[in-house]
Amino acid sequence: MEIKFKPEDKAESLEQLFEMMFGRSTAIESGKCVSCGKEVTRESLRNEISFKEYTISGLCQECQDEVFGAD
Ligand SMILES: [Zn+2]
């Protein structure tokens, strides 16, 4: 059988993207980490860069360290 179209996982990844986006903003607003679900406080974030990163990615300090390295 000839394959005419190769299905891409577009729908799935879009869905994941939306979930990530909506879940992310909700988590950030409520001060939770989107990755591990831990509570994130201003004090738990090491510096201004980590603070900024949290407002962008929603990752707590530990998860940021894991993703970006502890530097
Ligand atoms: Zn985390």
Side-chain angles (χ1 to χ4, degrees):
M1 200 179 96
E2 190 192 346
I3 297 166
K4 288 187 173 157
F5 298 101
K6 193 170 167 282
E8 298 231 354
D9 291 327
K10 269 267 161 62
E12 196 187 305
S13 52
L14 252 186
E15 209 172 83
Q16 283 174 349
L17 182 75
F18 283 128
E19 204 178 290
M20 215 175 81
M21 280 165 64
F22 295 132
R24 188 201 65 131
S25 47
T26 308
I28 293 171
E29 280 166 12
S30 57
K32 294 258 164 64
C33 172
V34 292
S35 179
C36 67
K38 256 195 247 169
E39 209 181 319
V40 179
T41 61
R42 184 67 183 83
E43 296 74 45
S44 72
L45 297 160
R46 195 178 293 129
N47 51 34
E48 206 57 38
I49 297 159
S50 296
F51 178 74
K52 269 256 166 67
E53 185 53 51
Y54 175 66
T55 64
I56 297 163
S57 66
L59 293 172
C60 72
Q61 187 66 65
E62 282 170 53
C63 292
Q64 283 186 35
D65 289 346
E66 228 169 89
V67 174
F68 307 113
D71 289 333

